[in-house]
Amino acid sequence: MAKKSKKQQQPGGTPATVALTTAGVDFTVHSYDHDPAHPSYGEEAAEAMGVSPDRVFKTLVADVDGTLTVAVVPVAGQLDLKALASAVGGKRATMADPTLAERTTGYVRGGISPLGQRKRLPTVLDESASSHPTICVSAGRRGLEVELAPEDLAKLTEAVLAQVSRA
């Protein structure tokens, strides 16, 4: 596992790392060799980095009453669609079409980051993130994660903090 130092922008950075660097936020980039055969992007990231799955968060895109909405939840849990809808004042949520999610965010599935998206979407960060000094989220491509303080992630994405995951 290669590790880059905080706030260091490398050539070929992703929109997520560029957004973090521009904002002056402390972060660490973790890279690993992505295995296309692995059944779960998030679990693969946790295993490859040697980080507990409750500190690695996946970025999911849902449709809440016709509005694409980002949910950032621990890979150890599942997204509660009802709770997500409620967190943003909606009535009904379904998972977004993967092609639409990719086109809207500018990232590929398995590499969607809550940061640096092509179009800023309403974002909900699972409140469990607050119990960790740092969490890991996708840095914008498969095999690349960024570790940062949950408060920084919430601030940069203008996220609502709510319980939107379940075990």
Side-chain angles (χ1 to χ4, degrees):
M1 167 181 62
K3 191 173 181 178
K4 295 178 187 162
S5 64
K6 293 183 179 186
K7 292 171 79 169
Q8 181 180 10
Q9 186 173 343
Q10 298 291 321
T14 66
T17 60
V18 169
L20 288 165
T21 301
T22 300
V25 170
D26 283 341
F27 66 96
T28 303
V29 173
H30 300 272
S31 63
Y32 59 91
D33 291 327
H34 166 62
D35 176 4
H38 201 287
S40 166
Y41 297 116
E43 289 174 10
E44 176 191 25
E47 291 166 10
M49 294 185 305
V51 174
S52 173
D54 65 338
R55 278 193 50 232
V56 178
F57 283 61
K58 56 190 170 186
T59 306
L60 302 172
V61 181
D63 181 321
V64 179
D65 299 334
T67 300
L68 289 183
T69 304
V70 172
V72 185
V73 298
V75 301
Q78 293 181 341
L79 174 61
D80 181 335
L81 289 166
K82 255 187 174 172
L84 176 64
S86 178
V88 295
K91 294 182 180 180
R92 185 170 183 272
T94 58
M95 292 307 297
D97 173 72
T99 302
L100 180 59
E102 289 179 341
R103 191 170 51 241
T104 304
T105 64
Y107 294 118
V108 298
R109 195 169 50 149
I112 294 178
S113 177
L115 299 155
Q117 295 178 356
R118 182 176 290 149
K119 178 182 178 190
R120 179 174 276 199
L121 300 174
T123 301
V124 179
L125 175 59
D126 189 74
E127 65 185 16
S128 66
S130 301
S131 64
H132 305 287
T134 61
I135 60 171
C136 298
V137 296
S138 175
R141 67 174 182 256
R142 297 172 189 152
L144 197 65
E145 295 280 312
V146 65
E147 182 177 350
L148 74 164
E151 303 81 34
D152 289 334
L153 177 63
K155 182 178 177 184
L156 290 174
T157 60
E158 299 178 5
V160 170
L161 283 173
Q163 181 66 45
V164 292
S165 71
R166 61 175 182 252

